[in-house]
Amino acid sequence: MSPAHYPKDVIEKIELLQEKFKASGQDLSSYLEGLLYADYMTYWDYINLDILLSLQQPRTSFKDEKIFIIYHQITELYFNLIIWELEQIADKKPIDAKFFKERLDRVIMYFDQLISSFAVMWKGMEREQFLKFRMSLLPSSGFQSAQYRVIELQSTDVHQLIHIDKREDLMGERDPDVIFDNLYWQHGAKELATGEKTLTLKSFEKKYSKDLKELIEVYHNKNIWRKYLECLDKDEELKQMLRSLDLKANVFWPLAHYKSAVRYLQRDPVDIAATGGTNWQKYLPPRFQKVIFFPELWSQKEMDEWGKGWVVKEVFGNEE
Ligand code: HEM
């Protein structure tokens, strides 16, 4: 076939390619030869399926441990998608309500997935197996999920993440070290008996505290709350979406999670040791930490009632 007989769109594409490769000093002909030898893309290569399915390495021979690992991995992937969207909101300048809402909608959708799928944990494993394989994973804990902390830091002014007892006093504090030492979750990983930092917390800090402190600085002016203030055409719908995110991230996901802790760890005091000795009953329920990303969007009464009532209904059904 002579060039005159090539379809017009093929010739146009070749010309465009010629321009592209010429601009970077590359030889189109060599690349075309490469195309001749290249294999077709397959589904399994594109999504790295073999690698993905090799990432589950149980530490014990209990069958249900695989469920525990995979569900954590699924959650971390969703966390990653959430971070991806929050990053785009943070970096959009100037931000308009349409862009804001489209991204928030996705974040809310991901949280919905995480909340409903948490049943995989609370009803998807045998308690007896869990209590045994969990012991061989100590002192690791989902508490050490850095992506969870990143989502928090991207979402709100860091002062809203300070422990409730210190939040008001430290409202004007700017020193990242002081702020970091007083974040609410620091209190979730103190040993019940001594009040000392648990090894779970110490190793988490060793790996992530530098990065997280930097993130505090980076998101000071571009967290979701700041972007909302900055958005010139914000409306009631955007406000309601932020409230929805607040509830999903700080009440409903924590409750779905708490429900698992109750199911597996409640009752037998010895089992509490399976968490590394933290006082999780006083830490995990949202009504104690009162982490609220957007307090200005809630009434005082709603904040006073944060997580209450829901705890009884969501976690214990009608039993209590
Ligand atoms: C049977 C399932 C689970 C149980 C029994 C459980 C139990 C606990 C407990 C007791 C804590 C308090 C800290 C500690 O003592 O280690 C905790 C914290 C945490 N876990 Fe889980 N967990 C489960 C599943 C998950 C999953 C699937 C994730 C997903 C990544 C996760 C993420 C977290 C996070 C982010 C924290 C810190 C929460 C906060 O600081 O407010 N957990 N978990």
Side-chain angles (χ1 to χ4, degrees), residues 27-287:
D27 174 32
L28 172 62
S29 170
S30 307
Y31 280 87
L32 289 177
E33 191 176 340
L35 263 184
L36 207 57
Y37 307 133
D39 284 336
Y40 287 112
M41 175 66 81
T42 60
Y43 167 77
W44 53 90
D45 279 340
Y46 181 61
I47 65 157
N48 275 311
L49 189 63
D50 291 346
I51 296 175
L52 183 65
L53 298 181
S54 71
L55 297 176
Q56 297 73 38
Q57 310 282 345
R59 297 296 173 111
T60 69
S61 54
F62 293 105
K63 297 286 182 201
D64 286 2
E65 192 188 342
K66 185 162 166 168
I67 304 169
F68 192 64
I69 295 175
I70 290 187
Y71 189 68
H72 278 81
Q73 292 176 334
I74 290 170
T75 304
E76 289 292 343
L77 288 174
Y78 270 114
F79 284 170
N80 200 260
L81 286 173
I82 292 170
I83 290 169
W84 188 242
E85 299 301 325
L86 295 179
E87 248 169 34
Q88 291 177 54
I89 296 174
D91 292 335
K92 181 81 173 163
K93 275 189 239 164
I95 187 143
D96 57 89
K98 182 172 175 291
F99 183 91
F100 210 140
K101 285 180 202 171
E102 279 169 2
R103 266 73 204 164
L104 264 188
D105 208 31
R106 296 179 193 172
V107 171
I108 290 169
M109 174 175 68
Y110 298 145
F111 266 110
D112 280 336
Q113 300 290 333
L114 287 174
I115 292 161
S116 62
S117 64
F118 221 109
V120 174
M121 290 288 91
W122 60 260
K123 68 172 183 188
M125 298 182 294
E126 274 181 21
R127 187 171 186 262
E128 292 65 33
Q129 289 192 41
F130 174 83
L131 290 175
K132 287 182 185 133
F133 71 69
R134 182 70 185 84
M135 298 310 281
S136 66
L137 315 178
L138 291 175
S140 76
S141 164
F143 177 90
Q144 294 172 315
S145 166
Q147 291 204 108
Y148 187 77
R149 305 301 168 205
V150 170
I151 292 170
E152 293 181 323
L153 293 173
Q154 286 180 311
S155 296
T156 183
D157 275 344
V158 68
H159 294 95
Q160 306 304 343
L161 303 174
I162 287 177
H163 189 268
I164 184 84
D165 294 345
K166 299 263 183 70
R167 211 171 286 167
E168 226 173 281
D169 293 349
L170 294 178
M171 255 318 156
E173 183 62 54
R174 283 287 286 124
D175 183 339
D177 290 328
V178 178
I179 292 174
F180 191 80
D181 287 342
N182 286 286
L183 290 174
Y184 80 92
W185 44 266
Q186 296 271 351
H187 296 257
K190 298 266 163 74
E191 273 169 25
L192 208 48
T194 60
E196 290 284 302
K197 283 184 184 186
T198 56
L199 183 55
T200 310
L201 176 56
K202 282 188 200 154
S203 56
F204 175 77
E205 287 191 337
K206 191 159 173 242
K207 182 160 169 61
Y208 291 116
S209 63
K210 186 169 168 287
D211 289 348
L212 289 176
K213 283 177 193 173
E214 274 170 25
L215 206 72
I216 291 177
E217 287 297 286
V218 170
Y219 273 83
H220 176 64
N221 275 324
K222 63 172 190 177
N223 60 69
I224 300 306
W225 175 246
R226 293 280 142 192
K227 297 304 279 190
Y228 175 71
L229 295 180
E230 203 180 293
C231 178
L232 290 179
D233 58 346
K234 56 177 160 299
D235 56 13
E236 184 59 24
E237 191 185 20
L238 182 56
K239 177 180 162 187
Q240 291 308 329
M241 288 177 81
L242 285 181
R243 281 168 52 102
S244 172
L245 171 60
D246 218 348
L247 272 187
K248 285 173 202 246
N250 292 316
V251 178
F252 293 116
W253 188 85
L255 279 182
H257 174 255
Y258 180 59
K259 191 168 180 164
S260 300
V262 170
R263 153 117 160 79
Y264 294 102
L265 308 174
Q266 191 97 317
R267 287 183 218 121
D268 185 350
V270 177
D271 291 341
I272 292 171
T275 74
T278 62
N279 193 357
W280 59 270
Q281 291 99 328
K282 282 268 171 277
Y283 173 69
L284 292 180
R287 71 180 189 279

